[in-house]
């Protein structure tokens, strides 16, 4: 049962690119995000390192910490 929402803020271009990519696969953005969330939670439960976006997260983290 879907009874809770999640609101996030992203760059407009990223949103448009994401929606376009979802449309190409004949999926809604919500379907794709729910599938990602399920996969992420499942990996966490099994002690796996969630590496789907590891490079992007590491890069962003280093930026936040002032590293190159």
């Amino acid at each position: 049962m879907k009874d809770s929402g999640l609101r996030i803020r992203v760059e407009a271009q990223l949103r448009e690119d994401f929606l376009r990519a979802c449309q190409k696969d004949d999926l809604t953005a919500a379907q794709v995000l729910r599938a990602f969330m399920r996969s992420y939670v499942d990996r966490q439960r099994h002690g796996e390192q969630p590496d789907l976006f590891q490079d992007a997260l590491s890069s962003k983290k280093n930026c936040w910490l002032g590293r190159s």
Side-chain angles (χ1 to χ4, degrees), residues 1-18:
M1 174 182 204
K2 298 172 226 155
D3 60 359
S4 183
L6 176 69
R7 188 173 179 152
I8 61 171
R9 298 189 59 80
V10 298
E11 295 87 1
Q13 187 62 54
L14 176 59
R15 179 185 180 276
E16 293 305 315
D17 292 345
F18 178 69

Side-chain angles (χ1 to χ4, degrees), residues 2-53:
K2 298 172 226 155
D3 60 359
S4 183
L6 176 69
R7 188 173 179 152
I8 61 171
R9 298 189 59 80
V10 298
E11 295 87 1
Q13 187 62 54
L14 176 59
R15 179 185 180 276
E16 293 305 315
D17 292 345
F18 178 69
L19 292 175
R20 211 173 356 267
C22 291
Q23 283 180 328
K24 284 183 180 181
D25 287 333
D26 197 27
L27 296 167
T28 66
Q31 289 172 313
V32 174
L33 291 171
R34 280 193 299 268
F36 168 76
M37 292 171 72
R38 287 184 194 108
S39 174
Y40 188 87
V41 168
D42 191 50
R43 286 173 178 246
Q44 288 289 327
R45 284 186 185 140
H46 292 93
E48 297 176 28
Q49 176 67 32
D51 59 3
L52 185 59
F53 298 107

Side-chain angles (χ1 to χ4, degrees), residues 9 11 53-68:
R9 298 189 59 80
E11 295 87 1
F53 298 107
Q54 193 59 39
D55 291 338
L57 291 175
S58 293
S59 176
K60 183 65 101 174
K61 189 180 210 180
N62 285 336
C63 180
W64 292 331
L65 297 174
R67 300 179 190 153
S68 305

